[in-house]
Amino acid sequence: MCSYIVEKAALTGSAKAAGTWGPITAAVVAVDHPSHASLDHALIVDLVNAGRPVSERIALELSVESARELIACMQSALDAFGECG
């Protein structure tokens, strides 16, 4: 069964691809069949710079377990930063 779950978020930041840093203005996050990863379903994250070609996006395809682990790791780092400030 295809999920076709898609969420979008405006972002402020930068990302590095092919040795070059560039601005990131949005993320498109989906749970669906991946294009490349050998998984039935994946969390798919496309980091994009509005106005630039889609071929310049930075794409991730993560297993559900890996995505949950990454989310927990990011939350832990942000929580620790909040305790410092």
Side-chain angles (χ1 to χ4, degrees):
M1 178 174 109
C2 295
S3 58
Y4 303 113
I5 298 167
V6 178
E7 299 288 338
K8 297 179 183 178
L11 302 178
T12 301
S14 297
K16 188 176 183 179
T20 303
W21 282 94
I24 294 298
T25 60
V28 179
V29 180
V31 178
D32 209 339
H33 298 290
S35 297
H36 187 74
S38 296
L39 300 165
D40 186 37
H41 283 88
L43 180 79
I44 301 164
V45 181
D46 287 331
L47 302 174
V48 299
N49 181 2
R52 299 298 303 166
V54 71
S55 62
E56 293 183 13
R57 76 187 187 282
I58 296 172
L60 300 172
E61 295 179 341
L62 301 171
S63 70
V64 171
E65 297 80 14
S66 293
R68 290 184 190 282
E69 184 64 26
L70 179 58
I71 291 166
C73 184
M74 293 168 75
Q75 186 64 58
S76 180
L78 288 170
D79 291 346
F81 173 74
E83 295 170 5
C84 295

